[in-house]
């Protein structure tokens, strides 16, 4: 069985920004606080302990008590809420959209990364407590991003109109989705368990936030995962000073612009608006804009004077929703958090925010790239061996891999480099002679050089195609195997749903994740089931 290690940097699936961050490139160091090493967590917790008020702990724990009233919490859940009231307790957080039935596989990887890191930190710092947090993105409005999941390459979709924060969406209509899903699952105990889980999650809860909390708790509650909904009036009250600063001074726009200047050599993940807040009600989530000395709710007739909007903020902070720029600050204000674990895209926008945090006098968290995983079957690993492929080969872009294998299979060199070099030397000699005659001869030599080299390149391509035909069966097997593990030549974790693997391996998939994922190691895990 292949056993080579794949680093994130060597996988070929991460952007230059994330690769440079993982390599701790000097030019990026002003954009983060501390790199994720076990030793750095000691400094991080000492700083956060000084900057996180005791009153915030009480409000946070009370809010979680209230949010868990609709569930039957595990004993460890109740213990963790109690621990959050104590000054030596800290959180490790990940966030995710309310994807239908968890969405893609990396939902699991994020949460396992968080839970495993809390265990590692507890072993290293036994006098402190560490609680894993899943932040539900209940205030998002991008319904089209979350209203489906893929099962064995079939799209299981929830068709309904979007509007307002997704966490408040009623679950009406999901019984039809269950009917489609159940038919795809077929028979067997694992199929029955998945059907029952979907039913308990979506048909027995009134809104998407409650349903997602139930689902995440069912999958990970026994491991101590705490699930938090930021769409909460009492939690928003802690954020009032920062909302006021944003309304009156638009500080985030200025501070993020300073960071994006340092990121000009990369693709900018998000661009700030002048006011990075939304106004929300049950069926409404629209930007707040400031025009003609009036605060307006975009695409509505709603408007407020300065004094009116500040009064509204004091009375109803729950009507103000941070966007992607302000949401991380909100999270770090209400949580005693040390580290945010996210995907490459998330870390990219977090790297724009340090100056904003400094301005707000809020400790910037350690940023940790979540674990990535390729799940493979024993049969696939055996096929890889027979085809004399490594895991690194499997991660290689398909055309590059196939071309390389053609060269390996061939009995002779398919590379005409030597011939091209020889031809180039001959034409260099001819050009030297031509300079001693007239300009027309020099031009003829140059034209012939281009023609002859082009002819060699064409012969090289024809020979490659001929060799490809002679090894077509072997190459098809390689492509087929790679397509199984990288659907649509993309990462499996971005497309497949956990149910596909649970159907064949039941709880083993989660057990293996907990055993093998080590969050502080920059390694792309390959798990053979």
């Amino acid at each position: 069985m292949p056993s080579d290690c794949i680093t994130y940097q060597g996988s070929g699936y991460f952007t230059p920004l994330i690769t440079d961050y993982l390599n701790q490139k000097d030019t990026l160091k002003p954009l983060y606080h501390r790199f994720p090493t076990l030793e750095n967590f000691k400094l991080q917790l000492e700083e956060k302990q000084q900057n996180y008020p005791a009153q915030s702990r009480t409000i946070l724990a009370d809010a979680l008590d209230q949010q868990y009233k609709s569930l039957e919490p595990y004993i460890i859940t109740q213990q963790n809420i109690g621990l959050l009231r104590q000054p030596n307790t800290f959180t490790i957080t990940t966030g995710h959209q309310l994807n239908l039935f968890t969405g893609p596989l990396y939902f699991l990887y994020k949460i396992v990364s968080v839970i495993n890191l809390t265990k590692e930190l507890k072993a290293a710092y036994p006098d402190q407590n560490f609680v894993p947090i899943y932040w539900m993105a209940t205030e998002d409005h991008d319904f089209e991003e979350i209203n489906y999941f893929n099962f064995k390459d079939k799209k299981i979709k929830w068709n309904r109109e979007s509007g307002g924060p997704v966490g408040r969406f009623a679950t009406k209509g999901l019984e039809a989705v269950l009917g489609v899903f159940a038919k795809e699952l077929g028979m067997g105990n694992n199929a029955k368990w998945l059907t029952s889980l979907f039913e308990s999650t979506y048909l027995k809860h009134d809104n998407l936030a409650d349903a997602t909390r139930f689902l995440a708790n069912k999958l990970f509650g026994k491991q101590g995962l705490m699930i938090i909904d930021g769409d909460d009036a009492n939690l928003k009250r802690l954020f009032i000073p920062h909302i006021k600063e944003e309304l009156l001074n638009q500080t985030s726009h200025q501070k993020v612009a300073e960071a994006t200047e340092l990121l000009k050599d990369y693709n900018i993940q998000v661009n700030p608006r002048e006011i990075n807040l939304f106004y929300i009600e049950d069926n409404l989530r629209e930007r707040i804009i400031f025009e003609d000395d009036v605060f307006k709710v975009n695409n509505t007739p709603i408007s407020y004077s300065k004094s009116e909007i500040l009064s509204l903020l004091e009375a109803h902070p729950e009507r103000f929703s941070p966007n992607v720029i302000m949401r991380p600050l909100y999270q770090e204000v209400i949580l005693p958090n040390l580290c945010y674990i996210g995907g490459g895209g998330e870390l990219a926008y977090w790297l724009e925010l340090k100056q904003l945090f400094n301005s707000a006098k809020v400790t910037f968290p350690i940023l940790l790239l979540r674990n990535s995983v390729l799940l493979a079957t024993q049969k696939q690993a055996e096929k890889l061996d027979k085809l004399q492929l490594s895991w690194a080969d499997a991660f290689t872009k398909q055309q590059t891999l196939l071309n390389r294998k053609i060269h390996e299979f061939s009995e002779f060199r398919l590379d005409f480099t030597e011939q091209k070099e020889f031809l180039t030397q001959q034409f260099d000699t001819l050009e030297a002679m031509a300079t001693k005659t007239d300009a027309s001869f020099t031009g003829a030599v140059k034209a012939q050089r281009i023609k002859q080299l082009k002819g060699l390149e064409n012969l090289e391509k024809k020979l490659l195609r001929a060799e490809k035909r002679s090894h077509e069966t072997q190459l098809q097997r390689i492509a087929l195997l790679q397509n199984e593990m990288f659907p649509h030549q993309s990462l499996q974790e971005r497309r497949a749903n956990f149910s596909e693997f649970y159907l064949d391996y039941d709880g083993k998939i989660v057990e293996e994740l907990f055993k093998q994922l080590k969050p502080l190691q920059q390694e792309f895990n390959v798990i053979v089931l």
Side-chain angles (χ1 to χ4, degrees), residues 115-141:
I115 294 170
N116 278 1
L117 182 56
T118 60
K119 293 176 181 177
E120 191 172 351
L121 290 173
K122 184 62 178 176
Y125 304 105
D127 294 335
Q128 317 297 328
N129 303 308
F130 305 93
V131 175
I133 298 285
Y134 160 42
W135 180 287
M136 296 193 297
T138 55
E139 296 177 59
D140 279 3
H141 66 285

Side-chain angles (χ1 to χ4, degrees), residues 212-230:
T212 305
R213 183 187 295 108
F214 173 87
L215 178 59
N217 187 64
K218 189 74 174 176
L219 293 173
F220 296 106
K222 287 182 181 178
Q223 295 286 342
L225 181 69
M226 297 297 307
I227 302 137
I228 188 167
D229 182 357

Side-chain angles (χ1 to χ4, degrees), residues 41 369 424:
F41 276 93
L369 186 65
T424 298

Side-chain angles (χ1 to χ4, degrees), residues 345-379:
E346 291 174 283
L347 264 56
Y349 72 73
W350 274 88
L351 288 169
E352 299 179 34
L353 304 178
K354 187 167 182 286
Q355 291 304 317
L356 173 60
F357 274 71
N358 290 346
S359 173
K361 295 181 171 56
V362 175
T363 299
F364 194 70
I366 290 173
L367 302 179
L368 178 60
L369 186 65
R370 65 167 173 82
N371 285 109
S372 282
V373 180
L374 171 63
L375 297 176
T377 66
Q378 189 72 36
K379 189 174 181 180

Side-chain angles (χ1 to χ4, degrees), residues 152-320:
K152 295 188 176 180
D153 221 22
K154 181 179 177 65
K155 196 171 189 176
I156 311 290
K157 188 175 180 181
W158 178 20
N159 293 307
R160 58 150 288 170
E161 290 185 7
S162 61
V166 295
R168 302 184 190 183
F169 279 15
T171 52
K172 184 179 179 181
L174 281 166
E175 59 275 5
V177 178
L178 175 58
V180 173
F181 183 40
K183 287 181 182 178
E184 294 295 325
L185 286 169
M187 307 296 290
N189 290 334
N190 290 345
K192 288 179 182 177
W193 185 85
L194 288 165
T195 301
S196 175
L197 178 62
F198 192 101
E199 182 178 2
S200 299
T201 297
Y202 295 108
L203 305 193
K204 296 183 180 178
H205 293 89
D206 294 331
N207 61 62
L208 197 54
D210 287 347
T212 305
R213 183 187 295 108
F214 173 87
L215 178 59
N217 187 64
K218 189 74 174 176
L219 293 173
F220 296 106
K222 287 182 181 178
Q223 295 286 342
L225 181 69
M226 297 297 307
I227 302 137
I228 188 167
D229 182 357
D231 188 7
D232 183 295
N234 291 323
L235 295 177
K236 289 279 180 72
R237 195 162 295 282
L238 290 173
F239 200 52
I240 285 177
H242 303 281
I243 296 175
K244 188 180 295 185
E245 173 70 19
E246 182 68 6
L247 290 170
L248 299 182
N249 300 315
Q250 293 92 54
T251 304
S252 67
H253 184 274
Q254 173 194 339
K255 295 302 178 183
V256 174
E258 292 174 12
T260 54
E261 178 62 24
L262 294 174
L263 289 165
K264 61 185 178 182
D265 293 333
Y266 304 96
N267 290 327
I268 301 300
Q269 189 70 17
V270 293
N271 289 299
R273 298 185 181 277
E274 289 186 359
I275 295 178
N276 290 283
L277 296 168
F278 287 91
Y279 177 89
I280 60 171
E281 295 178 0
D282 284 350
N283 297 305
L284 176 67
R285 186 178 189 256
E286 287 286 352
R287 289 192 297 117
I288 297 172
I289 56 178
F290 186 64
E291 290 179 349
D292 304 322
D293 291 326
V294 175
F295 292 92
K296 301 176 181 178
V297 178
N298 200 36
N299 297 319
T300 77
I302 303 171
S303 64
Y304 299 97
S305 68
K306 176 180 173 181
S307 60
E308 288 172 338
I309 202 165
L310 293 180
S311 296
L312 179 69
L313 175 59
E314 293 293 336
H316 295 287
E318 71 278 7
R319 294 189 190 175
F320 295 80

Side-chain angles (χ1 to χ4, degrees), residues 396-419:
T396 303
K397 298 301 180 187
Q398 190 166 102
Q399 197 54 55
T400 302
L401 174 61
L402 295 178
N403 286 343
R404 192 172 77 226
K405 298 309 288 185
I406 293 169
H407 283 81
E408 290 178 15
F409 294 153
S410 181
E411 297 177 2
F412 45 84
R413 286 190 62 177
L414 302 176
D415 185 341
F416 284 6
T417 301
E418 287 184 12
Q419 289 80 2

